[in-house]
C-alpha cells in the first residue's frame, strides 16, 4: 500500500496532515526517511513517525510442507487436523496457505504470512503450472491427453479449463500439469471419463519442487533462492 494511504487510514491523521508529515520528512519506513507519497509500505515494513512506531516490522516467513493424507487445507477445522496443526512455529495464526489441496491429496503445500507472495503464486493470471502425479481406477487412454489439451467444459462454473498437459506413465498412472486451481479440478477432469482418481500428489508449483527429503507431515523453511523464484 502507498505510504500516504497507509498513514491516512490511521484514525489519527487526515490527508492534509499526511502530506505535511511526508514533506517535513517525519516518516521513516524500515529506518529510511520517506517523503514520496507513492512509496510502497509492505505488511512487513516498520513504519515510524517522529520515532514512534506506527507499525512494527515483522519478518516474512515461507514454508514448504509435505501434506499427508487426512488433513484439511484450512487454518481451522472443527473435526479434522489441519495443515497448520503440523506447523510448529511462533505466531502460527499469521500464516496462511497458498493453494489448497483436498483432504486425501498429498504433496507440496506452501505456507506463508506474505499475502502478496501467495497471491502471485495462486492468482489465475499468473498461469503457474501445478504438477500432479495421478493414479486412477481405470486405464488412461490416449484420448485423455487430447481432451485435456483442448480444455474441458465445467458446467458449474460455466467455463472451459485452460489447456493441460498429460503424460501417461503407465496404464493407470500419469503426470498432469494444470495452470488453474478449480475446485476438485483434477478429479473432475478424470471424472469426465468416469475414471476415479485413487491417488493424487502435488509435486510442483511453478518452479517450486517438493523437497524429496520431506516425509509426509514434515516441513521446512524455503530458501532465499526459492522465495525469489515467485
Ligand atoms: N485437484 C483435485 O481434484 N484435488 C486436489 O487436491 C488438487 C487438484
Amino acid at each position: 500500500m502507498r505510504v500516504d494511504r497507509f498513514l491516512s487510514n490511521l484514525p489519527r491523521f487526515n490527508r492534509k496532515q499526511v502530506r505535511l508529515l511526508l514533506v517535513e520528512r517525519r516518516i521513516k519506513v524500515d529506518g529510511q526517511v520517506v517523503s514520496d507519497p507513492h512509496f510502497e509500505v509492505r505488511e512487513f515494513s516498520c513504519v515510524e513517525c517522529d520515532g514512534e512506531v506506527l507499525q512494527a516490522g515483522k519478518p516474512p516467513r515461507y514454508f514448504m510442507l509435505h501434506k499427508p493424507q487426512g488433513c484439511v487445507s484450512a487454518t481451522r477445522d472443527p473435526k479434522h487436523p489441519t495443515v497448520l496443526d503440523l506447523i510448529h512455529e511462533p505466531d502460527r495464526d499469521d500464516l496462511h496457505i497458498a493453494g489448497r489441496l483436498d483432504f486425501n491429496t498429498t504433496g507440496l503445500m506452501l505456507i506463508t504470512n506474505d499475502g502478496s507472495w501467495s497471491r502471485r503464486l495462486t492468482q489465475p493470471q499468473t498461469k503457474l503450472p501445478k504438477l500432479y502425479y495421478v493414479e486412477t481406477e481405470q486405464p488412461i487412454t490416449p484420448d485423455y491427453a487430447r481432451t485435456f489439451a483442448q480444455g474441458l467444459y465445467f458446467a458449474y462454473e460455466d467455463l472451459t479449463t485452460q489447456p493441460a498437459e498429460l503424460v501417461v506413465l503407465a496404464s493407470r498412472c500419469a503426470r498432469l500439469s494444470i495452470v488453474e486451481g478449480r475446485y476438485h479440478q483434477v478429479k473432475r477432469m478424470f471424472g469426465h471419463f468416469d475414471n476415479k482418481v485413487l491417488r493424487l500428489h502435488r509435486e510442483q508449483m511453478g518452479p517450486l519442487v517438493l523437497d524429496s527429503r520431506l516425509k509426509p507431515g514434515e516441513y521446512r523453511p524455503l530458501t532465499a533462492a526459492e522465495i525469489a523464484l515467485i
Side-chain angles (χ1 to χ4, degrees):
M1 184 189 299
R2 284 167 52 145
V3 68
D4 57 350
R5 167 97 72 89
F6 170 87
L7 293 169
S8 43
N9 280 351
L10 300 173
R12 59 204 280 186
F13 302 129
N14 61 35
R15 291 217 186 140
K16 191 170 167 210
Q17 287 168 317
V18 167
R19 268 199 302 277
L20 270 175
L21 287 173
L22 290 166
V23 170
E24 290 169 358
R25 304 175 61 81
R26 291 164 63 191
I27 300 296
K28 277 188 182 170
V29 178
D30 293 329
Q32 300 293 316
V33 172
V34 166
S35 55
D36 177 2
H38 295 91
F39 189 91
E40 281 294 310
V41 171
R42 301 190 68 214
E43 51 193 305
F44 307 107
S45 309
C46 172
V47 185
E48 293 165 85
C49 174
D50 298 334
E52 183 193 342
V53 174
L54 303 175
Q55 172 177 277
K58 54 181 176 180
R61 294 179 299 156
Y62 310 85
F63 302 99
M64 75 160 64
L65 167 77
H66 185 163
K67 179 191 174 295
Q69 285 196 334
C71 75
V72 184
S73 292
T75 42
R76 284 206 182 94
D77 189 89
K79 277 201 240 134
H80 302 288
T82 72
V83 288
L84 278 190
D85 291 333
L86 299 166
I87 306 285
H88 303 289
E89 297 291 328
D91 297 327
R92 208 171 59 173
D93 287 350
D94 289 350
L95 298 173
H96 64 267
I97 297 155
R100 292 165 187 277
L101 291 175
D102 294 339
F103 189 65
N104 280 326
T105 303
T106 58
L108 177 63
M109 289 225 78
L110 296 165
I111 292 166
T112 181
N113 61 346
D114 183 346
S116 37
W117 189 85
S118 61
R119 265 191 299 285
R120 283 201 296 284
L121 196 77
T122 54
Q123 67 195 358
Q125 303 91 293
T126 317
K127 296 209 171 154
L128 199 79
K130 270 78 69 177
L131 187 66
Y132 290 90
Y133 169 81
V134 192
E135 285 178 11
T136 57
E137 200 168 61
Q138 308 297 329
I140 303 164
T141 53
D143 46 334
Y144 283 50
R146 278 194 297 275
T147 306
F148 291 173
Q150 280 160 9
L152 267 172
Y153 180 66
F154 280 2
Y156 183 74
E157 294 95 334
D158 187 25
L159 57 81
T160 301
T161 56
Q162 296 283 324
E165 201 182 312
L166 184 78
V167 176
V168 179
L169 303 171
S171 166
R172 292 180 175 80
C173 75
R175 274 209 172 85
L176 177 66
S177 174
I178 57 173
V179 295
E180 301 146 293
R182 306 275 165 209
Y183 181 67
H184 293 330
Q185 178 158 346
V186 176
K187 291 175 190 159
R188 288 162 77 194
M189 289 171 75
F190 282 88
H192 172 81
F193 294 97
D194 283 327
N195 196 352
K196 190 170 170 194
V197 170
L198 300 180
R199 178 156 183 244
L200 187 56
H201 177 81
R202 184 159 64 197
E203 298 179 328
Q204 210 169 319
M205 290 176 81
L208 296 173
V209 183
L210 179 63
D211 189 329
S212 57
R213 292 166 298 186
L214 293 176
K215 299 194 186 76
E218 291 183 347
Y219 72 96
R220 69 156 171 83
L222 293 190
T223 64
E226 285 171 329
I227 296 162
L229 289 170
I230 301 300

